[in-house]
Amino acid sequence: DGGITQSPKYLFRKEGQNVTLSCEQNLNHDAMYWYRQDPGQGLRLIYYSQIVNDFQKGDIAEGYSVSREKKESFPLTVTSAQKNPTAFYLCASSIVEGPYEQYFGPGTRLTVT
Amino acid sequence: GESVGLHLPTLSVQEGDNSIINCAYSNSASDYFIWYKQESGKGPQFIIDIRSNMDKRQGQRVTVLLNKTVKHLSLQIAATQPGDSAVYFCAESPQAAGNKLTFGGGTRVLVKP
């Protein structure tokens, strides 16, 4: 059953702590993406990666970091430097040659208090 | 429709009627357009896409229309069903951007029984 998994679905953290969100795909896609979604708003691109060991900043990368050590995995770390980390985080993947549709995971809702 | 802060534009439609969701895009260089459906608390799901060499594309119960002259995209849903209640996003991508998508703010569709 091919797809994208994100875990956990809900995550709670105290202010000042770093937290890592997991994203795994078995679609054999080279490109992966992280988006942030705030209530009632669209998706904003945080980081994306088109190949293992390489990634680029999106529109709102400040306070976030990523790694791409394996094709299947693209974890996102929300650092304590991110001023407003509470949001719904979505991971996506696609083929590199595009543009074509991106396939999305179910999302992780992060709440920082 | 474009979102205004926390207040998504909302389209209320009677079950069985046709729905039309509009989207104005900003980049005249965009040549790929896509519609996603997002149910509450879930990741976006692909509905239909269209490239700039076409002005209309049909899927199952959905039709996308592209008017490049006025940079306007619309999604038509025939015989709207309760399961169509969701937030709908358009996204655009210029060929030069590879597979990066820029998302609009979304429109909420409420289907009344």
PDB file of all heavy atoms in Angstrom, chain A residues 9 33 37 39-42 48 88 90 94-95 98-102 104-106, chain B residues 5-6 8 32 34 36 38 41 43-44 46 51 89 93 95 98-101 104:
ATOM      1  N   LYS A   9       0.316  11.937  14.874  1.00  0.00           N
ATOM      2  CA  LYS A   9      -0.761  12.765  14.358  1.00  0.00           C
ATOM      3  C   LYS A   9      -0.907  14.037  15.189  1.00  0.00           C
ATOM      4  O   LYS A   9      -1.184  15.108  14.674  1.00  0.00           O
ATOM      5  CB  LYS A   9      -2.081  11.985  14.363  1.00  0.00           C
ATOM      6  CG  LYS A   9      -3.231  12.709  13.665  1.00  0.00           C
ATOM      7  CD  LYS A   9      -4.412  11.796  13.461  1.00  0.00           C
ATOM      8  CE  LYS A   9      -5.568  12.548  12.815  1.00  0.00           C
ATOM      9  NZ  LYS A   9      -5.235  13.051  11.483  1.00  0.00           N
ATOM     10  N   TYR A  33       8.675  17.443   0.382  1.00  0.00           N
ATOM     11  CA  TYR A  33       8.361  18.820   0.757  1.00  0.00           C
ATOM     12  C   TYR A  33       7.771  18.865   2.162  1.00  0.00           C
ATOM     13  O   TYR A  33       7.093  17.926   2.585  1.00  0.00           O
ATOM     14  CB  TYR A  33       7.311  19.416  -0.196  1.00  0.00           C
ATOM     15  CG  TYR A  33       7.573  19.187  -1.656  1.00  0.00           C
ATOM     16  CD1 TYR A  33       7.254  17.971  -2.253  1.00  0.00           C
ATOM     17  CD2 TYR A  33       8.121  20.183  -2.453  1.00  0.00           C
ATOM     18  CE1 TYR A  33       7.489  17.745  -3.597  1.00  0.00           C
ATOM     19  CE2 TYR A  33       8.359  19.971  -3.808  1.00  0.00           C
ATOM     20  CZ  TYR A  33       8.042  18.751  -4.361  1.00  0.00           C
ATOM     21  OH  TYR A  33       8.281  18.535  -5.698  1.00  0.00           O
ATOM     22  N   GLN A  37       0.558  24.816   7.693  1.00  0.00           N
ATOM     23  CA  GLN A  37      -0.790  25.325   7.450  1.00  0.00           C
ATOM     24  C   GLN A  37      -1.336  25.883   8.759  1.00  0.00           C
ATOM     25  O   GLN A  37      -1.407  25.184   9.763  1.00  0.00           O
ATOM     26  CB  GLN A  37      -1.707  24.227   6.902  1.00  0.00           C
ATOM     27  CG  GLN A  37      -3.072  24.745   6.489  1.00  0.00           C
ATOM     28  CD  GLN A  37      -3.927  23.684   5.852  1.00  0.00           C
ATOM     29  OE1 GLN A  37      -3.848  22.511   6.185  1.00  0.00           O
ATOM     30  NE2 GLN A  37      -4.776  24.091   4.894  1.00  0.00           N
ATOM     31  N   PRO A  39      -4.657  27.898  10.743  1.00  0.00           N
ATOM     32  CA  PRO A  39      -6.122  27.787  10.611  1.00  0.00           C
ATOM     33  C   PRO A  39      -6.703  28.711   9.555  1.00  0.00           C
ATOM     34  O   PRO A  39      -6.416  29.903   9.541  1.00  0.00           O
ATOM     35  CB  PRO A  39      -6.616  28.152  12.016  1.00  0.00           C
ATOM     36  CG  PRO A  39      -5.503  27.765  12.913  1.00  0.00           C
ATOM     37  CD  PRO A  39      -4.244  28.069  12.147  1.00  0.00           C
ATOM     38  N   GLY A  40      -7.504  28.159   8.676  1.00  0.00           N
ATOM     39  CA  GLY A  40      -8.191  28.944   7.667  1.00  0.00           C
ATOM     40  C   GLY A  40      -7.287  29.493   6.588  1.00  0.00           C
ATOM     41  O   GLY A  40      -7.673  30.423   5.874  1.00  0.00           O
ATOM     42  N   GLN A  41      -6.094  28.933   6.458  1.00  0.00           N
ATOM     43  CA  GLN A  41      -5.158  29.457   5.467  1.00  0.00           C
ATOM     44  C   GLN A  41      -4.639  28.367   4.555  1.00  0.00           C
ATOM     45  O   GLN A  41      -4.847  27.179   4.776  1.00  0.00           O
ATOM     46  CB  GLN A  41      -3.997  30.161   6.183  1.00  0.00           C
ATOM     47  CG  GLN A  41      -4.469  31.303   7.062  1.00  0.00           C
ATOM     48  CD  GLN A  41      -3.419  32.340   7.294  1.00  0.00           C
ATOM     49  OE1 GLN A  41      -2.444  32.438   6.561  1.00  0.00           O
ATOM     50  NE2 GLN A  41      -3.613  33.141   8.320  1.00  0.00           N
ATOM     51  N   GLY A  42      -3.943  28.789   3.524  1.00  0.00           N
ATOM     52  CA  GLY A  42      -3.347  27.858   2.584  1.00  0.00           C
ATOM     53  C   GLY A  42      -2.045  27.284   3.108  1.00  0.00           C
ATOM     54  O   GLY A  42      -1.676  27.466   4.268  1.00  0.00           O
ATOM     55  N   TYR A  48      12.207  21.963   0.914  1.00  0.00           N
ATOM     56  CA  TYR A  48      11.993  20.893  -0.033  1.00  0.00           C
ATOM     57  C   TYR A  48      13.327  20.277  -0.417  1.00  0.00           C
ATOM     58  O   TYR A  48      14.386  20.897  -0.274  1.00  0.00           O
ATOM     59  CB  TYR A  48      11.216  21.358  -1.269  1.00  0.00           C
ATOM     60  CG  TYR A  48      11.910  22.370  -2.137  1.00  0.00           C
ATOM     61  CD1 TYR A  48      12.490  21.999  -3.342  1.00  0.00           C
ATOM     62  CD2 TYR A  48      11.953  23.718  -1.772  1.00  0.00           C
ATOM     63  CE1 TYR A  48      13.109  22.937  -4.157  1.00  0.00           C
ATOM     64  CE2 TYR A  48      12.564  24.657  -2.575  1.00  0.00           C
ATOM     65  CZ  TYR A  48      13.137  24.278  -3.765  1.00  0.00           C
ATOM     66  OH  TYR A  48      13.752  25.208  -4.564  1.00  0.00           O
ATOM     67  N   PHE A  88      -0.398  23.094  11.774  1.00  0.00           N
ATOM     68  CA  PHE A  88      -0.589  21.791  11.149  1.00  0.00           C
ATOM     69  C   PHE A  88       0.504  21.649  10.098  1.00  0.00           C
ATOM     70  O   PHE A  88       0.661  22.508   9.227  1.00  0.00           O
ATOM     71  CB  PHE A  88      -1.982  21.760  10.508  1.00  0.00           C
ATOM     72  CG  PHE A  88      -2.435  20.421  10.020  1.00  0.00           C
ATOM     73  CD1 PHE A  88      -2.322  19.299  10.815  1.00  0.00           C
ATOM     74  CD2 PHE A  88      -3.002  20.287   8.767  1.00  0.00           C
ATOM     75  CE1 PHE A  88      -2.766  18.057  10.373  1.00  0.00           C
ATOM     76  CE2 PHE A  88      -3.442  19.053   8.301  1.00  0.00           C
ATOM     77  CZ  PHE A  88      -3.324  17.932   9.112  1.00  0.00           C
ATOM     78  N   LEU A  90       2.373  19.516   7.082  1.00  0.00           N
ATOM     79  CA  LEU A  90       2.095  18.555   6.032  1.00  0.00           C
ATOM     80  C   LEU A  90       3.357  18.240   5.246  1.00  0.00           C
ATOM     81  O   LEU A  90       4.104  19.140   4.860  1.00  0.00           O
ATOM     82  CB  LEU A  90       1.034  19.117   5.074  1.00  0.00           C
ATOM     83  CG  LEU A  90      -0.383  19.158   5.632  1.00  0.00           C
ATOM     84  CD1 LEU A  90      -1.219  20.184   4.902  1.00  0.00           C
ATOM     85  CD2 LEU A  90      -1.026  17.786   5.561  1.00  0.00           C
ATOM     86  N   SER A  94       6.821  13.927  -4.560  1.00  0.00           N
ATOM     87  CA  SER A  94       6.485  13.925  -5.983  1.00  0.00           C
ATOM     88  C   SER A  94       7.684  13.427  -6.781  1.00  0.00           C
ATOM     89  O   SER A  94       8.801  13.314  -6.250  1.00  0.00           O
ATOM     90  CB  SER A  94       6.109  15.335  -6.463  1.00  0.00           C
ATOM     91  OG  SER A  94       7.258  16.153  -6.579  1.00  0.00           O
ATOM     92  N   ILE A  95       7.453  13.166  -8.061  1.00  0.00           N
ATOM     93  CA  ILE A  95       8.595  12.936  -8.927  1.00  0.00           C
ATOM     94  C   ILE A  95       9.268  14.284  -9.149  1.00  0.00           C
ATOM     95  O   ILE A  95       8.661  15.332  -8.937  1.00  0.00           O
ATOM     96  CB  ILE A  95       8.171  12.287 -10.264  1.00  0.00           C
ATOM     97  CG1 ILE A  95       7.229  13.215 -11.048  1.00  0.00           C
ATOM     98  CG2 ILE A  95       7.531  10.941 -10.011  1.00  0.00           C
ATOM     99  CD1 ILE A  95       6.906  12.707 -12.434  1.00  0.00           C
ATOM    100  N   GLY A  98       8.876  17.778 -13.516  1.00  0.00           N
ATOM    101  CA  GLY A  98       7.517  18.262 -13.347  1.00  0.00           C
ATOM    102  C   GLY A  98       7.235  19.474 -14.172  1.00  0.00           C
ATOM    103  O   GLY A  98       7.974  19.774 -15.105  1.00  0.00           O
ATOM    104  N   PRO A  99       6.211  20.193 -13.783  1.00  0.00           N
ATOM    105  CA  PRO A  99       5.495  19.936 -12.545  1.00  0.00           C
ATOM    106  C   PRO A  99       4.415  18.868 -12.683  1.00  0.00           C
ATOM    107  O   PRO A  99       3.790  18.735 -13.720  1.00  0.00           O
ATOM    108  CB  PRO A  99       4.863  21.293 -12.244  1.00  0.00           C
ATOM    109  CG  PRO A  99       4.708  21.947 -13.573  1.00  0.00           C
ATOM    110  CD  PRO A  99       5.824  21.450 -14.429  1.00  0.00           C
ATOM    111  N   TYR A 100       4.247  18.140 -11.597  1.00  0.00           N
ATOM    112  CA  TYR A 100       3.186  17.153 -11.478  1.00  0.00           C
ATOM    113  C   TYR A 100       2.625  17.231 -10.067  1.00  0.00           C
ATOM    114  O   TYR A 100       3.160  17.929  -9.216  1.00  0.00           O
ATOM    115  CB  TYR A 100       3.713  15.742 -11.740  1.00  0.00           C
ATOM    116  CG  TYR A 100       4.052  15.498 -13.187  1.00  0.00           C
ATOM    117  CD1 TYR A 100       5.370  15.529 -13.628  1.00  0.00           C
ATOM    118  CD2 TYR A 100       3.054  15.240 -14.121  1.00  0.00           C
ATOM    119  CE1 TYR A 100       5.681  15.314 -14.952  1.00  0.00           C
ATOM    120  CE2 TYR A 100       3.364  15.022 -15.453  1.00  0.00           C
ATOM    121  CZ  TYR A 100       4.684  15.063 -15.857  1.00  0.00           C
ATOM    122  OH  TYR A 100       4.995  14.867 -17.171  1.00  0.00           O
ATOM    123  N   GLU A 101       1.583  16.456  -9.834  1.00  0.00           N
ATOM    124  CA  GLU A 101       0.941  16.528  -8.527  1.00  0.00           C
ATOM    125  C   GLU A 101       1.889  16.103  -7.421  1.00  0.00           C
ATOM    126  O   GLU A 101       2.791  15.278  -7.617  1.00  0.00           O
ATOM    127  CB  GLU A 101      -0.303  15.653  -8.493  1.00  0.00           C
ATOM    128  CG  GLU A 101      -0.009  14.174  -8.551  1.00  0.00           C
ATOM    129  CD  GLU A 101      -1.251  13.330  -8.338  1.00  0.00           C
ATOM    130  OE1 GLU A 101      -1.748  13.294  -7.200  1.00  0.00           O
ATOM    131  OE2 GLU A 101      -1.678  12.696  -9.299  1.00  0.00           O
ATOM    132  N   GLN A 102       1.659  16.682  -6.255  1.00  0.00           N
ATOM    133  CA  GLN A 102       2.339  16.266  -5.044  1.00  0.00           C
ATOM    134  C   GLN A 102       1.356  15.421  -4.239  1.00  0.00           C
ATOM    135  O   GLN A 102       0.166  15.726  -4.158  1.00  0.00           O
ATOM    136  CB  GLN A 102       2.789  17.479  -4.238  1.00  0.00           C
ATOM    137  CG  GLN A 102       3.869  18.284  -4.941  1.00  0.00           C
ATOM    138  CD  GLN A 102       4.292  19.503  -4.165  1.00  0.00           C
ATOM    139  OE1 GLN A 102       3.965  19.671  -2.987  1.00  0.00           O
ATOM    140  NE2 GLN A 102       5.055  20.370  -4.807  1.00  0.00           N
ATOM    141  N   PHE A 104       0.265  14.019  -0.600  1.00  0.00           N
ATOM    142  CA  PHE A 104       0.380  14.506   0.768  1.00  0.00           C
ATOM    143  C   PHE A 104       0.163  13.411   1.802  1.00  0.00           C
ATOM    144  O   PHE A 104      -0.613  12.472   1.595  1.00  0.00           O
ATOM    145  CB  PHE A 104      -0.644  15.615   1.029  1.00  0.00           C
ATOM    146  CG  PHE A 104      -0.248  16.931   0.439  1.00  0.00           C
ATOM    147  CD1 PHE A 104      -0.523  17.230  -0.878  1.00  0.00           C
ATOM    148  CD2 PHE A 104       0.439  17.861   1.202  1.00  0.00           C
ATOM    149  CE1 PHE A 104      -0.138  18.444  -1.436  1.00  0.00           C
ATOM    150  CE2 PHE A 104       0.818  19.082   0.664  1.00  0.00           C
ATOM    151  CZ  PHE A 104       0.535  19.367  -0.655  1.00  0.00           C
ATOM    152  N   GLY A 105       0.856  13.571   2.935  1.00  0.00           N
ATOM    153  CA  GLY A 105       0.609  12.742   4.087  1.00  0.00           C
ATOM    154  C   GLY A 105      -0.576  13.256   4.881  1.00  0.00           C
ATOM    155  O   GLY A 105      -1.164  14.283   4.527  1.00  0.00           O
ATOM    156  N   PRO A 106      -0.926  12.591   5.984  1.00  0.00           N
ATOM    157  CA  PRO A 106      -2.100  12.968   6.773  1.00  0.00           C
ATOM    158  C   PRO A 106      -1.881  14.166   7.681  1.00  0.00           C
ATOM    159  O   PRO A 106      -2.833  14.707   8.231  1.00  0.00           O
ATOM    160  CB  PRO A 106      -2.395  11.713   7.589  1.00  0.00           C
ATOM    161  CG  PRO A 106      -1.070  11.045   7.714  1.00  0.00           C
ATOM    162  CD  PRO A 106      -0.345  11.322   6.448  1.00  0.00           C
TER     163      PRO A 106
ATOM    164  N   GLY B   5      -7.375  36.185   6.093  1.00  0.00           N
ATOM    165  CA  GLY B   5      -7.040  35.804   7.449  1.00  0.00           C
ATOM    166  C   GLY B   5      -7.687  34.490   7.801  1.00  0.00           C
ATOM    167  O   GLY B   5      -7.558  33.497   7.087  1.00  0.00           O
ATOM    168  N   LEU B   6      -8.437  34.448   8.920  1.00  0.00           N
ATOM    169  CA  LEU B   6      -9.031  33.220   9.394  1.00  0.00           C
ATOM    170  C   LEU B   6     -10.365  32.921   8.719  1.00  0.00           C
ATOM    171  O   LEU B   6     -10.970  31.910   8.986  1.00  0.00           O
ATOM    172  CB  LEU B   6      -9.237  33.303  10.914  1.00  0.00           C
ATOM    173  CG  LEU B   6      -7.965  33.345  11.748  1.00  0.00           C
ATOM    174  CD1 LEU B   6      -8.296  33.527  13.203  1.00  0.00           C
ATOM    175  CD2 LEU B   6      -7.141  32.082  11.563  1.00  0.00           C
ATOM    176  N   LEU B   8     -12.218  31.872   5.720  1.00  0.00           N
ATOM    177  CA  LEU B   8     -12.185  31.325   4.376  1.00  0.00           C
ATOM    178  C   LEU B   8     -13.446  31.718   3.640  1.00  0.00           C
ATOM    179  O   LEU B   8     -14.541  31.664   4.209  1.00  0.00           O
ATOM    180  CB  LEU B   8     -12.119  29.798   4.439  1.00  0.00           C
ATOM    181  CG  LEU B   8     -10.778  29.134   4.676  1.00  0.00           C
ATOM    182  CD1 LEU B   8     -10.988  27.653   4.825  1.00  0.00           C
ATOM    183  CD2 LEU B   8      -9.806  29.457   3.569  1.00  0.00           C
ATOM    184  N   TYR B  32       1.199  25.168 -15.047  1.00  0.00           N
ATOM    185  CA  TYR B  32       0.595  23.959 -14.498  1.00  0.00           C
ATOM    186  C   TYR B  32      -0.269  24.380 -13.332  1.00  0.00           C
ATOM    187  O   TYR B  32       0.159  25.175 -12.481  1.00  0.00           O
ATOM    188  CB  TYR B  32       1.688  22.986 -14.053  1.00  0.00           C
ATOM    189  CG  TYR B  32       1.170  21.746 -13.361  1.00  0.00           C
ATOM    190  CD1 TYR B  32       0.569  20.717 -14.081  1.00  0.00           C
ATOM    191  CD2 TYR B  32       1.293  21.596 -11.989  1.00  0.00           C
ATOM    192  CE1 TYR B  32       0.105  19.582 -13.449  1.00  0.00           C
ATOM    193  CE2 TYR B  32       0.829  20.460 -11.346  1.00  0.00           C
ATOM    194  CZ  TYR B  32       0.240  19.453 -12.086  1.00  0.00           C
ATOM    195  OH  TYR B  32      -0.216  18.322 -11.464  1.00  0.00           O
ATOM    196  N   ILE B  34      -3.409  22.970 -10.421  1.00  0.00           N
ATOM    197  CA  ILE B  34      -3.910  21.752  -9.791  1.00  0.00           C
ATOM    198  C   ILE B  34      -4.926  22.136  -8.724  1.00  0.00           C
ATOM    199  O   ILE B  34      -4.804  23.189  -8.087  1.00  0.00           O
ATOM    200  CB  ILE B  34      -2.720  20.946  -9.217  1.00  0.00           C
ATOM    201  CG1 ILE B  34      -3.146  19.589  -8.707  1.00  0.00           C
ATOM    202  CG2 ILE B  34      -1.958  21.732  -8.161  1.00  0.00           C
ATOM    203  CD1 ILE B  34      -1.955  18.656  -8.426  1.00  0.00           C
ATOM    204  N   TYR B  36      -6.817  20.734  -5.202  1.00  0.00           N
ATOM    205  CA  TYR B  36      -6.800  19.768  -4.113  1.00  0.00           C
ATOM    206  C   TYR B  36      -8.048  19.944  -3.255  1.00  0.00           C
ATOM    207  O   TYR B  36      -8.576  21.051  -3.110  1.00  0.00           O
ATOM    208  CB  TYR B  36      -5.575  19.973  -3.202  1.00  0.00           C
ATOM    209  CG  TYR B  36      -4.278  19.438  -3.743  1.00  0.00           C
ATOM    210  CD1 TYR B  36      -3.401  20.263  -4.435  1.00  0.00           C
ATOM    211  CD2 TYR B  36      -3.909  18.113  -3.542  1.00  0.00           C
ATOM    212  CE1 TYR B  36      -2.189  19.780  -4.912  1.00  0.00           C
ATOM    213  CE2 TYR B  36      -2.698  17.622  -4.014  1.00  0.00           C
ATOM    214  CZ  TYR B  36      -1.852  18.463  -4.700  1.00  0.00           C
ATOM    215  OH  TYR B  36      -0.654  17.978  -5.178  1.00  0.00           O
ATOM    216  N   GLN B  38      -9.323  19.238   0.714  1.00  0.00           N
ATOM    217  CA  GLN B  38      -8.827  18.928   2.044  1.00  0.00           C
ATOM    218  C   GLN B  38      -9.980  18.838   3.026  1.00  0.00           C
ATOM    219  O   GLN B  38     -10.671  19.818   3.278  1.00  0.00           O
ATOM    220  CB  GLN B  38      -7.808  19.974   2.522  1.00  0.00           C
ATOM    221  CG  GLN B  38      -7.162  19.597   3.849  1.00  0.00           C
ATOM    222  CD  GLN B  38      -6.134  20.613   4.314  1.00  0.00           C
ATOM    223  OE1 GLN B  38      -6.223  21.794   3.981  1.00  0.00           O
ATOM    224  NE2 GLN B  38      -5.148  20.164   5.069  1.00  0.00           N
ATOM    225  N   GLY B  41      -8.715  18.216   9.222  1.00  0.00           N
ATOM    226  CA  GLY B  41      -7.727  17.425   9.935  1.00  0.00           C
ATOM    227  C   GLY B  41      -6.964  16.435   9.083  1.00  0.00           C
ATOM    228  O   GLY B  41      -6.231  15.593   9.611  1.00  0.00           O
ATOM    229  N   GLY B  43      -4.734  15.525   5.183  1.00  0.00           N
ATOM    230  CA  GLY B  43      -3.897  16.090   4.144  1.00  0.00           C
ATOM    231  C   GLY B  43      -4.685  16.320   2.868  1.00  0.00           C
ATOM    232  O   GLY B  43      -5.712  15.691   2.635  1.00  0.00           O
ATOM    233  N   PRO B  44      -4.238  17.250   2.027  1.00  0.00           N
ATOM    234  CA  PRO B  44      -4.921  17.508   0.754  1.00  0.00           C
ATOM    235  C   PRO B  44      -4.899  16.292  -0.166  1.00  0.00           C
ATOM    236  O   PRO B  44      -3.922  15.544  -0.201  1.00  0.00           O
ATOM    237  CB  PRO B  44      -4.110  18.651   0.149  1.00  0.00           C
ATOM    238  CG  PRO B  44      -3.428  19.301   1.302  1.00  0.00           C
ATOM    239  CD  PRO B  44      -3.128  18.185   2.254  1.00  0.00           C
ATOM    240  N   PHE B  46      -5.481  15.082  -4.225  1.00  0.00           N
ATOM    241  CA  PHE B  46      -5.525  15.530  -5.609  1.00  0.00           C
ATOM    242  C   PHE B  46      -6.923  15.346  -6.202  1.00  0.00           C
ATOM    243  O   PHE B  46      -7.567  14.303  -5.992  1.00  0.00           O
ATOM    244  CB  PHE B  46      -4.507  14.715  -6.413  1.00  0.00           C
ATOM    245  CG  PHE B  46      -4.609  14.883  -7.902  1.00  0.00           C
ATOM    246  CD1 PHE B  46      -4.006  15.961  -8.525  1.00  0.00           C
ATOM    247  CD2 PHE B  46      -5.285  13.960  -8.682  1.00  0.00           C
ATOM    248  CE1 PHE B  46      -4.081  16.109  -9.901  1.00  0.00           C
ATOM    249  CE2 PHE B  46      -5.372  14.093 -10.047  1.00  0.00           C
ATOM    250  CZ  PHE B  46      -4.774  15.168 -10.666  1.00  0.00           C
ATOM    251  N   ARG B  51      -2.764  21.735 -17.715  1.00  0.00           N
ATOM    252  CA  ARG B  51      -1.580  22.467 -18.167  1.00  0.00           C
ATOM    253  C   ARG B  51      -2.018  23.630 -19.048  1.00  0.00           C
ATOM    254  O   ARG B  51      -3.141  23.649 -19.553  1.00  0.00           O
ATOM    255  CB  ARG B  51      -0.637  21.525 -18.911  1.00  0.00           C
ATOM    256  CG  ARG B  51      -0.135  20.448 -17.987  1.00  0.00           C
ATOM    257  CD  ARG B  51       0.991  19.598 -18.512  1.00  0.00           C
ATOM    258  NE  ARG B  51       1.276  18.548 -17.537  1.00  0.00           N
ATOM    259  CZ  ARG B  51       2.078  18.703 -16.483  1.00  0.00           C
ATOM    260  NH1 ARG B  51       2.686  19.841 -16.304  1.00  0.00           N
ATOM    261  NH2 ARG B  51       2.260  17.722 -15.636  1.00  0.00           N
ATOM    262  N   PHE B  89      -8.385  23.868  -2.565  1.00  0.00           N
ATOM    263  CA  PHE B  89      -7.248  24.741  -2.854  1.00  0.00           C
ATOM    264  C   PHE B  89      -6.849  24.613  -4.307  1.00  0.00           C
ATOM    265  O   PHE B  89      -6.781  23.508  -4.847  1.00  0.00           O
ATOM    266  CB  PHE B  89      -6.031  24.350  -2.015  1.00  0.00           C
ATOM    267  CG  PHE B  89      -6.179  24.592  -0.554  1.00  0.00           C
ATOM    268  CD1 PHE B  89      -6.536  23.566   0.303  1.00  0.00           C
ATOM    269  CD2 PHE B  89      -5.936  25.847  -0.022  1.00  0.00           C
ATOM    270  CE1 PHE B  89      -6.669  23.781   1.673  1.00  0.00           C
ATOM    271  CE2 PHE B  89      -6.052  26.077   1.344  1.00  0.00           C
ATOM    272  CZ  PHE B  89      -6.429  25.040   2.186  1.00  0.00           C
ATOM    273  N   SER B  93       2.133  26.379 -10.770  1.00  0.00           N
ATOM    274  CA  SER B  93       3.575  26.185 -10.845  1.00  0.00           C
ATOM    275  C   SER B  93       4.081  26.604 -12.216  1.00  0.00           C
ATOM    276  O   SER B  93       3.542  26.160 -13.235  1.00  0.00           O
ATOM    277  CB  SER B  93       3.931  24.716 -10.601  1.00  0.00           C
ATOM    278  OG  SER B  93       5.324  24.519 -10.705  1.00  0.00           O
ATOM    279  N   GLN B  95       6.956  26.368 -15.119  1.00  0.00           N
ATOM    280  CA  GLN B  95       7.889  25.322 -15.530  1.00  0.00           C
ATOM    281  C   GLN B  95       9.266  25.536 -14.917  1.00  0.00           C
ATOM    282  O   GLN B  95       9.927  24.602 -14.487  1.00  0.00           O
ATOM    283  CB  GLN B  95       8.010  25.321 -17.062  1.00  0.00           C
ATOM    284  CG  GLN B  95       8.910  24.232 -17.616  1.00  0.00           C
ATOM    285  CD  GLN B  95       8.274  22.865 -17.532  1.00  0.00           C
ATOM    286  OE1 GLN B  95       7.061  22.730 -17.500  1.00  0.00           O
ATOM    287  NE2 GLN B  95       9.085  21.839 -17.480  1.00  0.00           N
ATOM    288  N   GLY B  98      10.408  24.040 -11.440  1.00  0.00           N
ATOM    289  CA  GLY B  98      10.456  22.598 -11.230  1.00  0.00           C
ATOM    290  C   GLY B  98       9.117  22.111 -10.754  1.00  0.00           C
ATOM    291  O   GLY B  98       8.108  22.347 -11.415  1.00  0.00           O
ATOM    292  N   ASN B  99       9.066  21.471  -9.600  1.00  0.00           N
ATOM    293  CA  ASN B  99       7.804  20.951  -9.119  1.00  0.00           C
ATOM    294  C   ASN B  99       7.311  21.699  -7.886  1.00  0.00           C
ATOM    295  O   ASN B  99       6.515  21.194  -7.129  1.00  0.00           O
ATOM    296  CB  ASN B  99       7.925  19.463  -8.811  1.00  0.00           C
ATOM    297  CG  ASN B  99       6.587  18.778  -8.974  1.00  0.00           C
ATOM    298  OD1 ASN B  99       5.638  19.359  -9.475  1.00  0.00           O
ATOM    299  ND2 ASN B  99       6.504  17.549  -8.542  1.00  0.00           N
ATOM    300  N   LYS B 100       7.766  22.919  -7.686  1.00  0.00           N
ATOM    301  CA  LYS B 100       7.277  23.711  -6.558  1.00  0.00           C
ATOM    302  C   LYS B 100       5.902  24.254  -6.885  1.00  0.00           C
ATOM    303  O   LYS B 100       5.676  24.805  -7.955  1.00  0.00           O
ATOM    304  CB  LYS B 100       8.238  24.877  -6.282  1.00  0.00           C
ATOM    305  CG  LYS B 100       9.517  24.489  -5.584  1.00  0.00           C
ATOM    306  CD  LYS B 100      10.431  25.677  -5.416  1.00  0.00           C
ATOM    307  CE  LYS B 100       9.814  26.757  -4.567  1.00  0.00           C
ATOM    308  NZ  LYS B 100      10.715  27.929  -4.411  1.00  0.00           N
ATOM    309  N   LEU B 101       4.984  24.086  -5.955  1.00  0.00           N
ATOM    310  CA  LEU B 101       3.621  24.582  -6.114  1.00  0.00           C
ATOM    311  C   LEU B 101       3.410  25.786  -5.201  1.00  0.00           C
ATOM    312  O   LEU B 101       3.882  25.790  -4.071  1.00  0.00           O
ATOM    313  CB  LEU B 101       2.608  23.504  -5.750  1.00  0.00           C
ATOM    314  CG  LEU B 101       2.574  22.247  -6.620  1.00  0.00           C
ATOM    315  CD1 LEU B 101       1.617  21.216  -6.020  1.00  0.00           C
ATOM    316  CD2 LEU B 101       2.158  22.594  -8.039  1.00  0.00           C
ATOM    317  N   GLY B 104      -3.110  28.735  -3.305  1.00  0.00           N
ATOM    318  CA  GLY B 104      -4.039  29.799  -2.974  1.00  0.00           C
ATOM    319  C   GLY B 104      -4.580  29.591  -1.572  1.00  0.00           C
ATOM    320  O   GLY B 104      -4.254  28.612  -0.895  1.00  0.00           O
TER     321      GLY B 104
END
